[in-house]
PDB file of all heavy atoms in Angstrom:
ATOM      1  N   GLY S 230     -14.528  25.814  -8.431  1.00  0.00           N
ATOM      2  CA  GLY S 230     -14.376  27.092  -8.997  1.00  0.00           C
ATOM      3  C   GLY S 230     -13.145  27.784  -8.662  1.00  0.00           C
ATOM      4  O   GLY S 230     -12.969  28.892  -9.140  1.00  0.00           O
ATOM      5  N   MET S 231     -12.451  27.261  -7.677  1.00  0.00           N
ATOM      6  CA  MET S 231     -11.328  28.105  -7.220  1.00  0.00           C
ATOM      7  C   MET S 231     -10.221  28.297  -8.251  1.00  0.00           C
ATOM      8  O   MET S 231      -9.780  27.312  -8.948  1.00  0.00           O
ATOM      9  CB  MET S 231     -10.693  27.383  -5.896  1.00  0.00           C
ATOM     10  CG  MET S 231     -11.696  27.524  -4.817  1.00  0.00           C
ATOM     11  SD  MET S 231     -11.142  26.413  -3.402  1.00  0.00           S
ATOM     12  CE  MET S 231      -9.542  27.063  -3.080  1.00  0.00           C
ATOM     13  N   GLU S 232      -9.625  29.505  -8.333  1.00  0.00           N
ATOM     14  CA  GLU S 232      -8.695  29.684  -9.329  1.00  0.00           C
ATOM     15  C   GLU S 232      -7.284  29.432  -8.906  1.00  0.00           C
ATOM     16  O   GLU S 232      -6.455  29.169  -9.771  1.00  0.00           O
ATOM     17  CB  GLU S 232      -8.836  31.177  -9.694  1.00  0.00           C
ATOM     18  CG  GLU S 232      -9.999  31.559 -10.486  1.00  0.00           C
ATOM     19  CD  GLU S 232     -10.080  33.037 -10.801  1.00  0.00           C
ATOM     20  OE1 GLU S 232      -9.116  33.810 -10.832  1.00  0.00           O
ATOM     21  OE2 GLU S 232     -11.262  33.521 -10.920  1.00  0.00           O
ATOM     22  N   LYS S 233      -7.072  29.367  -7.538  1.00  0.00           N
ATOM     23  CA  LYS S 233      -5.662  29.144  -7.035  1.00  0.00           C
ATOM     24  C   LYS S 233      -5.768  28.013  -6.259  1.00  0.00           C
ATOM     25  O   LYS S 233      -6.756  27.596  -5.547  1.00  0.00           O
ATOM     26  CB  LYS S 233      -5.275  30.332  -6.243  1.00  0.00           C
ATOM     27  CG  LYS S 233      -5.020  31.610  -7.135  1.00  0.00           C
ATOM     28  CD  LYS S 233      -4.679  32.739  -6.263  1.00  0.00           C
ATOM     29  CE  LYS S 233      -4.561  34.145  -7.122  1.00  0.00           C
ATOM     30  NZ  LYS S 233      -4.274  35.231  -6.329  1.00  0.00           N
ATOM     31  N   GLU S 234      -4.663  27.290  -6.084  1.00  0.00           N
ATOM     32  CA  GLU S 234      -4.667  26.137  -5.276  1.00  0.00           C
ATOM     33  C   GLU S 234      -4.652  26.534  -3.809  1.00  0.00           C
ATOM     34  O   GLU S 234      -3.994  27.436  -3.528  1.00  0.00           O
ATOM     35  CB  GLU S 234      -3.338  25.329  -5.596  1.00  0.00           C
ATOM     36  CG  GLU S 234      -3.246  23.984  -4.775  1.00  0.00           C
ATOM     37  CD  GLU S 234      -2.020  23.166  -5.266  1.00  0.00           C
ATOM     38  OE1 GLU S 234      -1.717  23.307  -6.464  1.00  0.00           O
ATOM     39  OE2 GLU S 234      -1.423  22.595  -4.334  1.00  0.00           O
ATOM     40  N   VAL S 235      -5.471  25.921  -3.067  1.00  0.00           N
ATOM     41  CA  VAL S 235      -5.475  26.156  -1.681  1.00  0.00           C
ATOM     42  C   VAL S 235      -4.719  25.028  -0.815  1.00  0.00           C
ATOM     43  O   VAL S 235      -4.833  23.977  -1.162  1.00  0.00           O
ATOM     44  CB  VAL S 235      -7.075  26.200  -1.110  1.00  0.00           C
ATOM     45  CG1 VAL S 235      -7.164  26.321   0.266  1.00  0.00           C
ATOM     46  CG2 VAL S 235      -7.757  27.293  -1.861  1.00  0.00           C
ATOM     47  N   ASP S 236      -4.089  25.508   0.270  1.00  0.00           N
ATOM     48  CA  ASP S 236      -3.452  24.589   1.069  1.00  0.00           C
ATOM     49  C   ASP S 236      -4.380  23.842   1.975  1.00  0.00           C
ATOM     50  O   ASP S 236      -4.827  24.294   2.940  1.00  0.00           O
ATOM     51  CB  ASP S 236      -2.444  25.334   1.952  1.00  0.00           C
ATOM     52  CG  ASP S 236      -1.573  24.463   2.932  1.00  0.00           C
ATOM     53  OD1 ASP S 236      -1.814  23.317   2.922  1.00  0.00           O
ATOM     54  OD2 ASP S 236      -0.721  25.090   3.569  1.00  0.00           O
ATOM     55  N   PHE S 237      -4.680  22.557   1.511  1.00  0.00           N
ATOM     56  CA  PHE S 237      -5.625  21.735   2.232  1.00  0.00           C
ATOM     57  C   PHE S 237      -5.221  21.336   3.530  1.00  0.00           C
ATOM     58  O   PHE S 237      -6.004  20.904   4.406  1.00  0.00           O
ATOM     59  CB  PHE S 237      -6.202  20.626   1.355  1.00  0.00           C
ATOM     60  CG  PHE S 237      -6.976  21.018   0.213  1.00  0.00           C
ATOM     61  CD1 PHE S 237      -6.475  21.275  -1.063  1.00  0.00           C
ATOM     62  CD2 PHE S 237      -8.294  21.365   0.441  1.00  0.00           C
ATOM     63  CE1 PHE S 237      -7.282  21.698  -2.083  1.00  0.00           C
ATOM     64  CE2 PHE S 237      -9.018  21.769  -0.572  1.00  0.00           C
ATOM     65  CZ  PHE S 237      -8.592  22.033  -1.832  1.00  0.00           C
ATOM     66  N   CYS S 238      -3.946  21.366   3.941  1.00  0.00           N
ATOM     67  CA  CYS S 238      -3.426  21.158   5.122  1.00  0.00           C
ATOM     68  C   CYS S 238      -4.083  22.165   6.154  1.00  0.00           C
ATOM     69  O   CYS S 238      -4.441  21.907   7.241  1.00  0.00           O
ATOM     70  CB  CYS S 238      -1.929  21.208   5.370  1.00  0.00           C
ATOM     71  SG  CYS S 238      -1.062  19.865   4.405  1.00  0.00           S
ATOM     72  N   PHE S 239      -4.032  23.477   5.605  1.00  0.00           N
ATOM     73  CA  PHE S 239      -4.693  24.622   6.530  1.00  0.00           C
ATOM     74  C   PHE S 239      -6.112  24.282   6.716  1.00  0.00           C
ATOM     75  O   PHE S 239      -6.570  24.431   7.800  1.00  0.00           O
ATOM     76  CB  PHE S 239      -4.515  25.870   5.702  1.00  0.00           C
ATOM     77  CG  PHE S 239      -5.090  27.010   6.504  1.00  0.00           C
ATOM     78  CD1 PHE S 239      -4.670  27.546   7.526  1.00  0.00           C
ATOM     79  CD2 PHE S 239      -6.442  27.427   6.155  1.00  0.00           C
ATOM     80  CE1 PHE S 239      -5.367  28.622   8.324  1.00  0.00           C
ATOM     81  CE2 PHE S 239      -7.098  28.390   6.821  1.00  0.00           C
ATOM     82  CZ  PHE S 239      -6.513  29.004   7.956  1.00  0.00           C
ATOM     83  N   LEU S 240      -6.845  23.755   5.752  1.00  0.00           N
ATOM     84  CA  LEU S 240      -8.322  23.448   5.944  1.00  0.00           C
ATOM     85  C   LEU S 240      -8.368  22.419   6.906  1.00  0.00           C
ATOM     86  O   LEU S 240      -9.269  22.492   7.848  1.00  0.00           O
ATOM     87  CB  LEU S 240      -8.771  23.008   4.532  1.00  0.00           C
ATOM     88  CG  LEU S 240      -8.882  24.073   3.408  1.00  0.00           C
ATOM     89  CD1 LEU S 240      -9.523  23.414   2.224  1.00  0.00           C
ATOM     90  CD2 LEU S 240      -9.781  25.151   3.941  1.00  0.00           C
ATOM     91  N   THR S 241      -7.576  21.449   6.919  1.00  0.00           N
ATOM     92  CA  THR S 241      -7.627  20.376   7.898  1.00  0.00           C
ATOM     93  C   THR S 241      -7.362  20.928   9.204  1.00  0.00           C
ATOM     94  O   THR S 241      -7.975  20.518  10.288  1.00  0.00           O
ATOM     95  CB  THR S 241      -6.646  19.162   7.624  1.00  0.00           C
ATOM     96  OG1 THR S 241      -6.940  18.792   6.132  1.00  0.00           O
ATOM     97  CG2 THR S 241      -6.742  17.989   8.437  1.00  0.00           C
ATOM     98  N   GLU S 242      -6.381  21.672   9.515  1.00  0.00           N
ATOM     99  CA  GLU S 242      -6.076  22.339  10.785  1.00  0.00           C
ATOM    100  C   GLU S 242      -7.147  23.189  11.235  1.00  0.00           C
ATOM    101  O   GLU S 242      -7.449  23.277  12.510  1.00  0.00           O
ATOM    102  CB  GLU S 242      -4.777  23.035  10.670  1.00  0.00           C
ATOM    103  CG  GLU S 242      -3.654  22.205  10.405  1.00  0.00           C
ATOM    104  CD  GLU S 242      -2.269  23.039  10.141  1.00  0.00           C
ATOM    105  OE1 GLU S 242      -2.359  24.184  10.383  1.00  0.00           O
ATOM    106  OE2 GLU S 242      -1.208  22.450   9.777  1.00  0.00           O
ATOM    107  N   ALA S 243      -7.803  23.901  10.313  1.00  0.00           N
ATOM    108  CA  ALA S 243      -8.869  24.868  10.638  1.00  0.00           C
ATOM    109  C   ALA S 243      -9.985  24.057  11.348  1.00  0.00           C
ATOM    110  O   ALA S 243     -10.745  24.502  12.178  1.00  0.00           O
ATOM    111  CB  ALA S 243      -9.323  25.673   9.537  1.00  0.00           C
TER     112      ALA S 243
END
Side-chain angles (χ1 to χ4, degrees):
M231 289 170 58
E232 294 179 18
K233 297 179 182 176
E234 185 176 324
V235 172
D236 181 354
F237 286 98
C238 293
F239 174 80
L240 291 177
T241 303
E242 290 172 12

